[in-house]
Amino acid sequence: MQMTLFQQGNSIFHRFDPRAKILLLLFFLVYIFLPFGLIVHGTVLLLLIIASAVSTDWRDMFSPIIAIWPILILIALLTPPFYREDPIGITIELLLRFTSISYLFTLFFKTTEMSMIILTLRWFRLPYNAALVITMALRFIPYLGGVYHQIQDAHKLRMGSAEKINRFYQKIRSLIPVLTSVMIYAIKTIPELSMSLEHRGFGIPRKTSRLRVYKSLKNGHKLFTHMGISVIIAVIFILTPSIFN
Amino acid sequence: MEERTPNVKRQISPAFKVSSVAILTAITAVFTLVVRIPIAPTRGYINLGDVAIYFTAFTLGPITAMIAGALGTGLADIIGGYPQWSIISFFIHGIQGFAVGAVMRGAIGLTEQQTKLSRVRILIAGLLGTSIMVLLYYLAGAAMSGFGPALAEIPGNIIQNVVGVVGGLLLTRAIYRAYPPVRDFYW
């Protein structure tokens, strides 16, 4: 099971500080919804496509569109009947908006490691327990995914060739014992996991060690620079629409 | 197993709470990612994430269902290649899990006889969970992609929730029988 969208790379987006990157993500998320007109939103999408091409393999440049093409067709077909004034313009605006949101998130997750995202959220004061839950869940997702496939294979073997499942409802029905087995397997790990946590000192009021940290002194200037760049980018994008209007 | 008596407040350790939320988050993500039935036109597929959310709400309570539903579906969207839906899924499934768990709170009995889930509460919980998910996804979808595609998403979301309620209930009953200590996991 592929656990993340992250792709290794050395682009400017990979090297950009995740704390500044997350703020830029939020800025653009709001910006995309603001009524700046088709030219501005089209430019934003074009820049995001270019950024996507620069950040990872250029052949993956259109992968977000490939993932969302059914909804783009639906937007194109179903939006015009809902609007009497300028249906084409609104349809294009919605197409640009949805595609931009998809590119924005894909770009962020393709260029930011999951561990760095959790570290960044901790830096933004995410509680320790919440970060621990996310980290443990990420550890257990591939493991339980593997367990699911093992149990599914075991059930298939038990059914034999004469009872091979072909029909849709039979496939759905055959899922119930598999899901039950996986759930019991997962539930049974809870007491063991909690005991492991307690043995490792969870709940004891003392400072815990960290594998990865933001070194404030070493990376202080980097964070300052990247935050500054983010603010400049935000200001440029806020001022740009007034040029077109 | 020691039989618990109703209305006795049990002490659940913080480690147990963290572990149960983490495991149910992982299970929600696995159920969302692994089983995909291509029906809903806009999201591309319906999944069994709701089965895990309803099971969690029925078995482990509203807080676990809220966090596991929110994080599990959010992470599944990120891992599964639909990161644009992750924030929306996070909030909607979190609210859905909490609401279903809150309705079911107290309906989960403690002895074998009492564990038979109240049909009325299940109906209310299912309707509430479905309404919350369908309505909030419609509003979020309308903001992101317009009213047309958001309307087209409604049947898929209803099917997904019906499957979630029925599947969650079947799973809860099967697990109560197969692994009785799960009754002590509610908090």
Side-chain angles (χ1 to χ4, degrees), chain A residues 2 68 74 97 148 183 194 198, chain B residues 13 19 34 79 84 143 175:
Chain A
Q2 194 183 340
I68 60 164
L74 277 175
R97 181 189 294 173
Y148 174 87
M183 191 61 92
S194 55
E198 282 170 352
Chain B
S13 76
S19 304
V34 172
I79 296 165
Q84 66 272 34
I175 287 166

Side-chain angles (χ1 to χ4, degrees), chain A residues 5 59 65 83 127 145 189 217 225:
Chain A
L5 290 177
R59 283 167 292 192
I65 291 180
Y83 298 94
T189 61
L217 286 174
T225 312

Side-chain angles (χ1 to χ4, degrees), chain B:
Chain B
M1 194 190 84
E2 190 187 342
E3 194 174 85
R4 296 199 334 259
T5 50
N7 305 321
V8 175
K9 196 168 185 179
R10 291 167 300 125
Q11 282 289 329
I12 301 276
S13 76
F16 187 90
K17 288 179 180 176
V18 166
S19 304
S20 60
V21 170
I23 293 294
L24 267 304
T25 299
I27 272 289
T28 307
V30 168
F31 278 23
T32 309
L33 285 166
V34 172
V35 191
R36 290 178 172 185
I37 305 162
I39 288 178
T42 49
R43 293 199 76 205
Y45 63 92
I46 68 160
N47 58 66
L48 296 189
D50 289 84
V51 173
I53 294 169
Y54 280 100
F55 167 82
T56 311
F58 292 161
T59 315
L60 284 101
I63 306 294
T64 316
M66 180 180 71
I67 306 171
L71 285 176
T73 51
L75 287 173
D77 280 339
I78 292 169
I79 296 165
Y82 297 88
Q84 66 272 34
W85 291 103
S86 57
I87 294 176
I88 293 167
S89 295
F90 178 88
F91 286 108
I92 293 175
H93 287 289
I95 295 167
Q96 179 198 20
F98 182 80
V100 174
V103 171
M104 295 305 293
R105 197 173 184 88
I108 312 290
L110 300 168
T111 63
E112 187 61 38
Q113 191 62 33
Q114 288 168 320
T115 48
K116 287 181 178 170
L117 305 173
S118 157
R119 285 180 186 172
V120 178
R121 284 217 194 198
I122 291 165
L123 192 67
I124 294 169
L127 284 172
L128 187 66
T130 306
S131 311
I132 286 170
M133 188 191 154
V134 170
L135 183 71
L136 294 182
Y137 262 117
Y138 173 73
L139 294 174
M144 274 173 77
S145 56
F147 291 104
L151 271 177
E153 197 177 321
I154 289 176
N157 282 339
I158 292 173
I159 294 169
Q160 190 168 305
N161 260 277
V162 172
V163 171
V165 176
V166 175
L169 193 62
L170 290 173
L171 207 55
T172 304
R173 286 189 170 156
I175 287 166
Y176 270 20
R177 275 199 293 272
Y179 186 62
V182 78
R183 288 191 183 89
D184 290 328
F185 288 13
Y186 191 90
W187 59 278

Side-chain angles (χ1 to χ4, degrees), chain A residues 143-241:
Chain A
Y143 174 65
L144 291 174
V147 168
Y148 174 87
H149 288 300
Q150 279 179 10
I151 291 171
Q152 194 182 37
D153 290 345
H155 277 267
K156 275 181 191 168
L157 284 171
R158 281 180 63 196
M159 292 186 81
S161 58
E163 293 179 70
K164 268 189 180 172
I165 46 172
N166 294 319
R167 290 182 187 172
F168 179 76
Y169 78 92
Q170 281 178 320
K171 281 182 182 174
I172 299 289
R173 220 178 118 192
S174 71
L175 279 174
I176 293 166
V178 179
L179 295 179
T180 308
S181 305
V182 176
M183 191 61 92
I184 290 171
Y185 190 90
I187 289 280
K188 279 183 173 176
T189 61
I190 294 173
E192 293 165 14
L193 185 61
S194 55
M195 281 175 72
S196 301
L197 282 177
E198 282 170 352
H199 287 143
R200 282 173 173 81
F202 178 81
I204 296 171
R206 69 177 181 205
K207 204 174 180 185
T208 52
S209 63
R210 290 181 187 180
L211 181 66
R212 302 178 82 166
V213 288
Y214 278 119
K215 291 172 186 167
S216 56
L217 286 174
K218 190 183 168 189
N219 288 340
H221 68 281
K222 185 185 169 186
L223 174 66
F224 184 77
T225 312
H226 288 186
M227 285 287 189
I229 292 168
S230 304
V231 171
I232 292 166
I233 290 170
V235 169
I236 290 169
F237 274 90
I238 289 167
L239 294 177
T240 305

